């Protein structure tokens, strides 16, 4: 069995403060340790379930958050900025299942801890084939386009609810309950990580994994928070303005959706000058 693990940070056990997600911020180093521990719980479950290969990608920010010296030595780690497929880098059609650890709810989600979509504030709403999408739908769609199902989602209660809305009966572990965007009632990390391990192990052994399948062509629509961002992104071939602050892309290859969104986000971070902050 070949398992792909994508690890974000906002949905990691024990974390609620934006400073804990930002290199140089108060609590960031401890946040990286907690992120790595949540990832290790899923990795350990994968190997205990019989996986012969586990590939892990650092899916948060610049992709330099997972502690390479603390990650389970049996896995392969993909890290670093500007990965072409960003949160999905390393995934291909040869994988049996994907696990999403530390994911969060989409922008505007009620009681979603650190809720946003892809960027801290530049993206107001994202739509894939007309359906409002956060990172869970976006990346589940990418996996589905490769024929890969989803075996686990972990994050806060809002993220788990979003995952069930997108994927149906997907195994999910809520490690915290949001009180507001920056506050939550937490399950202590040691107990949360044990739940991640137990749920992942059960899921990987049972192999009843849902898959998000969408039909091509794929249309990605983005509502940005500024006209300047939309106009700058519309310079990219294939991306067009559909309103003062909205852009749209249609393609037969879902990899274009993920890849060009990453390019647009890089542009948005420069134009908006707020790419490293939540607000």
């Amino acid at each position: 069995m070949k398992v792909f693990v994508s690890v974000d940070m906002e949905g990691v056990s024990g974390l609620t403060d934006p400073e804990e997600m930002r290199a140089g911020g108060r609590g960031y180093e401890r946040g990286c340790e907690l992120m790595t521990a949540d990832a290790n719980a899923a990795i350990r479950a994968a190997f205990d379930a019989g996986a012969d290969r586990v590939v892990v990608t650092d899916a948060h920010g610049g992709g330099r958050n997972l502690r390479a010296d603390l990650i389970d030595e049996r896995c392969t780690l993909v890290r670093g900025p500007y990965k072409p497929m960003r949160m999905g880098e390393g995934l291909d059609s040869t994988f049996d299942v994907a696990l999403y650890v530390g994911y969060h709810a989409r922008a505007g989600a009620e009681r979603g801890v650190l809720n946003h979509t892809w960027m801290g504030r530049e993206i107001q709403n994202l739509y894939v084939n007309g359906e409002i999408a956060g990172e869970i739908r976006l990346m589940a769609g990418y996996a589905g386009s490769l024929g890969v199902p989803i075996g686990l989602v972990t994050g806060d209660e809002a993220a788990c609810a979003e995952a069930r809305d997108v994927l149906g009966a997907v195994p999910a572990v809520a490690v915290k309950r949001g009180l507001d965007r920056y506050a939550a009632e937490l399950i202590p990390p040691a107990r949360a990580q044990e739940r991640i391990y137990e749920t992942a192990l059960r899921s990987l052994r049972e192999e009843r994994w849902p898959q998000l399948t969408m039909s091509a062509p794929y249309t990605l629509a983005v509502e940005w928070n500024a006209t300047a961002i939309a106009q700058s992104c519309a310079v990219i071939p294939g991306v067009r303005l559909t309103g003062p602050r909205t852009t749209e892309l249609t393609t037969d290859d879902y990899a274009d959706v993920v890849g060009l969104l990453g390019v647009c986000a890089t542009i948005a971070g420069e134009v908006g000058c707020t790419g490293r902050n939540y607000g």
Side-chain angles (χ1 to χ4, degrees):
M1 179 168 56
K2 190 175 179 182
V3 180
F4 178 76
V5 185
S6 176
V7 191
D8 205 355
M9 199 169 189
E10 288 84 358
V12 162
S13 63
L15 302 182
T16 60
D17 189 333
E19 287 292 298
E20 297 169 327
M21 318 289 157
R22 180 181 62 82
R26 179 176 54 83
Y28 172 71
E29 294 302 328
R30 178 58 178 154
C32 291
E33 292 174 2
L34 289 169
M35 181 184 182
T36 307
D38 279 17
N40 279 341
I43 297 165
R44 179 164 63 96
F47 282 112
D48 286 355
D52 48 36
R53 188 172 183 211
V54 177
V55 175
V56 182
T57 195
D58 189 325
H60 178 72
R64 295 168 290 202
N65 313 282
L66 287 171
R67 286 281 299 271
D69 58 328
L70 298 178
I71 201 79
D72 191 307
E73 64 183 20
R74 296 170 292 179
C75 77
T76 300
L77 175 62
V78 179
R79 72 189 304 269
Y82 307 117
K83 301 183 291 290
M85 291 296 105
R86 307 300 168 108
M87 302 178 78
E89 186 66 30
L91 180 64
D92 60 40
S93 61
T94 66
F95 283 85
D96 296 289
V97 64
L99 312 180
Y100 294 161
V101 175
Y103 271 52
H104 56 81
R106 64 177 177 82
E110 185 177 3
R111 296 184 184 273
V113 181
L114 297 163
N115 67 81
H116 65 282
T117 300
W118 205 257
M119 305 189 72
R121 66 178 71 175
E122 289 82 356
I123 293 176
Q124 299 294 299
N125 286 298
L126 189 76
Y127 300 87
V128 179
N129 284 8
E131 296 283 347
I132 194 164
E135 292 165 29
I136 293 171
R137 180 182 293 276
L138 183 72
M139 299 315 300
Y142 178 53
S145 74
L146 298 170
V148 180
I150 309 303
L152 178 74
V153 176
T154 81
D156 71 337
E157 287 187 355
C160 292
E162 186 174 317
R164 287 189 289 269
D165 181 61
V166 171
L167 290 160
V170 64
V173 179
V175 302
K176 50 195 168 190
R177 180 177 67 87
L179 303 175
D180 202 343
R181 197 182 189 202
Y182 304 116
E185 180 182 354
L186 305 171
I187 296 173
R191 184 148 47 94
Q193 289 150 16
E194 190 60 27
R195 290 186 183 183
I196 292 170
Y197 170 78
E198 291 171 352
T199 304
L201 182 64
R202 183 167 57 251
S203 172
L204 293 172
R205 284 176 172 170
E206 292 177 351
E207 297 188 13
R208 292 198 293 266
W209 308 316
Q211 180 176 316
L212 180 60
T213 302
M214 291 181 278
S215 299
Y218 309 107
T219 297
L220 172 72
V222 185
E223 178 188 355
W224 303 95
N225 74 344
T227 56
I229 295 174
Q231 291 170 4
S232 296
C233 291
V235 173
I236 300 171
V239 179
R240 61 187 180 278
L241 280 172
T242 57
R245 294 188 294 112
T246 58
T247 58
E248 194 170 280
L249 161 77
T250 299
T251 176
D252 288 328
D253 187 350
Y254 199 99
D256 292 342
V257 170
V258 179
L260 281 174
L261 178 59
V263 172
C264 286
T266 300
I267 292 171
E270 292 298 319
V271 173
C273 297
T274 57
R276 293 184 175 87
N277 299 317
Y278 296 93

